[in-house]
Amino acid sequence: MVHLTEDERIWLQVNYPQLNYDEERSIINGTFPINHTYRGCTIKDKFEILIPLWQMRNRNEYPVVFNTDGRINNIAKRKKIDCIDLHIGENKRLCLGLPERFEEYYPSGFDIQTFCKHLSEHLYWVSYFERYNKEPWPAELHGNCAKIEFLIEKQEIEGLRKLYKQITGRGIAKQKLRNYLCSAKLTNSLKNKLFKYERCNKNSI
């Protein structure tokens, strides 16, 4: 279980007075306002959230965040797109990022200030999409597609081999993977092949 430190509690109260922190249960809930600017476009908005910090095993993982009033799910419904395309599940839980990329967002582990900045950017993306029907920047992929992209980016041969077999049902030699990763053209070919398999697997469920 993760609890906010005294300094974090004070910072949260000063900077986000519409959020309540239940110290005993280690839960944050209330209205989360955003006032974020990207490439000259400022958006002010607010979202109702619930963050059960007690569900975190430690500070080396994303907290669980729910959009309690279902607004983001309703945006998806109104725009006739899948909820996951707005980075939220049917259960109103936000998808904050690929677990393997946690350290990119939190190089020193979870802290409330970094988290609020991350959440503000995340919700800005949603709010921008709601208003303009397009994404302000390319979003992170989901599920195995996100893992594929990450493993290729990091040149993690062994992890990629395991995922390749999981997705295609067939093994692949390490040297063949290395050959794929030695040129941009072959890398894109591998990525597209695995993305295609992954879409086919989902469609067959």
Side-chain angles (χ1 to χ4, degrees):
M1 179 189 291
V2 169
H3 286 274
L4 297 184
T5 65
E6 182 178 357
D7 286 345
E8 286 179 314
R9 293 196 300 271
I10 293 171
W11 184 90
L12 188 68
Q13 186 176 20
V14 170
N15 290 276
Y16 291 89
Q18 293 174 285
L19 290 178
N20 302 303
Y21 176 59
D22 184 325
E23 185 176 354
E24 184 177 348
R25 296 191 298 159
S26 197
I27 292 174
I28 298 172
N29 71 85
T31 302
F32 185 87
I34 66 169
N35 182 0
H36 190 77
T37 301
Y38 178 74
R39 291 188 174 179
C41 180
T42 299
I43 291 180
K44 295 181 181 181
D45 207 339
K46 55 186 179 181
F47 293 82
E48 298 302 314
I49 62 168
L50 171 71
I51 309 167
L53 293 175
W54 62 266
Q55 291 190 20
M56 297 173 68
R57 294 166 296 178
N58 52 55
R59 286 179 177 259
N60 295 315
E61 61 185 26
Y62 299 111
V64 173
V65 182
F66 294 98
N67 174 218
T68 52
D69 63 357
R71 176 185 165 189
I72 301 175
N73 294 75
N74 289 334
I75 294 171
K77 185 177 181 180
R78 191 170 69 248
K79 292 184 177 293
K80 298 180 181 179
I81 60 176
D82 291 335
C83 292
I84 195 63
D85 291 331
L86 292 182
H87 307 279
I88 193 168
E90 296 287 349
N91 62 352
K92 302 178 185 178
R93 177 177 173 175
L94 275 61
C95 175
L96 295 177
L98 185 70
E100 288 84 349
R101 292 194 184 276
F102 175 81
E103 290 186 0
E104 296 177 16
Y105 292 102
Y106 302 90
S108 301
F110 171 87
D111 69 82
I112 195 64
Q113 289 178 254
T114 304
F115 166 72
C116 286
K117 179 179 181 294
H118 180 193
L119 185 58
S120 180
E121 292 170 353
H122 184 98
L123 294 175
Y124 174 94
W125 193 101
V126 174
S127 191
Y128 186 100
F129 191 93
E130 179 186 22
R131 297 178 186 208
Y132 303 112
N133 286 310
K134 61 181 181 179
E135 50 187 31
W137 57 79
E140 187 176 291
L141 299 175
H142 310 292
N144 281 338
C145 288
K147 290 181 182 179
I148 292 165
E149 196 166 67
F150 174 81
L151 292 171
I152 288 176
E153 176 188 319
K154 301 299 181 182
Q155 302 277 300
E156 291 192 10
I157 299 294
E158 195 54 45
L160 195 53
R161 271 187 85 201
K162 291 178 182 178
L163 191 58
Y164 185 98
K165 186 170 184 179
Q166 177 188 326
I167 292 172
T168 68
R170 297 193 299 250
I172 185 170
K174 289 183 180 180
Q175 188 56 51
K176 189 171 183 179
L177 274 180
R178 290 192 183 98
N179 292 340
Y180 269 119
L181 299 179
C182 71
S183 79
K185 184 176 180 180
L186 290 176
T187 298
N188 285 332
S189 173
L190 173 65
K191 188 187 297 187
N192 292 334
K193 177 181 180 180
L194 290 174
F195 283 179
K196 184 177 179 181
Y197 265 102
E198 180 66 8
R199 285 193 294 270
C200 288
N201 289 340
K202 285 187 175 182
N203 290 337
S204 65
I205 295 176

